[in-house]
Amino acid sequence: MELIKKEKIKMKPRWIFDSRRWGKRLLFGTGIVAGSVLIALVDFLMSLRRAKEYLNYGEVGREIFWEKMPVGESILGLMFIGMAMIFFEKIGDNYKMNRWTRIGISLALAGSSSLIVRLVMKRFELELGLSFI
Amino acid sequence: MKDERIVTLVKRGEKERYGVVVERYEGALGRYIGHLINQRGEEVEDLVQETFIRAYENLEGFEEGKKFSSWIYRIAHNLAVDYMKKKKVATEGMGEEEWREIEDGIDIEKEMIEEGEKKILVEAVKRLERGHKEMLLLFYVEEKSYDEIGEILRISKSNVGVRLKRAKEKLKILLDNKV
């Protein structure tokens, strides 16, 4: 108490805690946005490369499918979604939710925003496709 | 006056009121930390002091509408866990006398706490791993509700129930095997 009275121990300013709170929200949002954009990009590249069609051609077809799969983008996308899941738990009282509810909400958010991104991409698919070719 | 009201006043500059918080929680936090780290004396006192310093420094981060006791217990819990990791404190090693308090607090299986079996119960709780021990301590000794335990350990209420059940089961196994 003496140290407190003599102001040798001070309270940290409020903005530190506020920025921590907002930082977590920002990281969660970044994870969802980046993850969903990357997953939409993977889907776009898969359709551009017609990868799914090869799944009908047995073992060799499956090998070609995996060769055509944009692995780096997929891993990165999943990593971002994973990051979002981690930070979702740290926001407010979210830890009180069941683990599967938290995972479900994060996946639903990532999935729906990925769908929106994909729809927007579809609108410009021709131009995008040409630029990739 | 409620803890939360005192905290508001301390935040507004009435620093001396923090002494009330210290007085209220000194004993309880010392008991909880002591049981958790299996130590007594200076180490516990240092950790309790550190808890109050940390709590004061982070008081602005305490959200209104929350329970202050859960918040300060969480700080104490984290400090105790850090201490155990740093010192690699084993979960065993506490003396009979120290465990008598736990023994008195636990009402888990009344028939087992009969005079002849008290010693066995004491041994059993001593042997529990940290996760199980903290659940039993918070629920039976500190008399915290599921909600409060959830806030202290940052786990869901249902998870508290599951973990507490497991801790009781583990304790029962140890008791059945007579430790």
Side-chain angles (χ1 to χ4, degrees), chain A:
Chain A
M1 270 314 290
E2 282 308 306
L3 294 171
I4 290 170
K5 277 178 193 164
K6 286 175 189 167
E7 295 212 343
K8 287 193 175 173
I9 296 165
K10 286 180 183 173
M11 272 186 231
K12 288 178 190 165
R14 191 172 175 81
W15 65 263
I16 292 180
F17 303 100
D18 287 338
S19 48
R20 265 185 214 160
R21 261 171 226 145
W22 282 103
K24 284 173 197 169
R25 287 172 193 161
L26 191 72
L27 284 164
F28 166 69
T30 308
I32 292 290
V33 172
S36 55
V37 166
L38 280 161
I39 297 299
L41 182 69
V42 167
D43 186 51
F44 167 71
L45 289 173
M46 296 278 276
S47 66
L48 192 73
R49 295 169 189 175
R50 293 177 177 175
K52 283 173 200 163
E53 287 174 22
Y54 290 94
L55 286 172
N56 303 322
Y57 301 105
E59 189 64 36
V60 181
R62 272 195 292 276
E63 276 177 30
I64 298 170
F65 170 82
W66 285 111
E67 277 169 22
K68 291 192 175 287
M69 174 101 172
V71 181
E73 288 88 340
S74 305
I75 293 172
L76 204 62
L78 292 175
M79 276 170 73
F80 272 114
I81 294 170
M83 180 182 99
M85 282 178 190
I86 291 167
F87 282 97
F88 184 64
E89 188 195 352
K90 296 180 189 299
I91 297 170
D93 284 344
N94 287 355
Y95 68 88
K96 286 182 180 173
M97 282 182 203
N98 179 291
R99 183 196 295 167
W100 297 110
T101 312
R102 286 197 306 260
I103 291 173
I105 291 173
S106 305
L107 285 177
L109 272 171
S112 52
S113 43
S114 179
L115 209 68
I116 293 166
V117 176
R118 191 68 189 96
L119 286 172
V120 173
M121 281 170 95
K122 267 203 194 306
R123 170 84 177 75
F124 304 101
E125 201 156 87
L126 189 65
E127 295 97 285
L128 274 167
L130 287 172
S131 69
F132 267 92
I133 291 163

Side-chain angles (χ1 to χ4, degrees), chain B residues 10 20 22 25 46 50 82 87 96 98 103:
Chain B
V10 175
V20 180
V22 175
Y25 287 94
D46 288 349
E50 184 63 27
D82 286 347
K87 302 266 177 181
E96 262 332 76
E98 288 88 338
E103 178 192 326

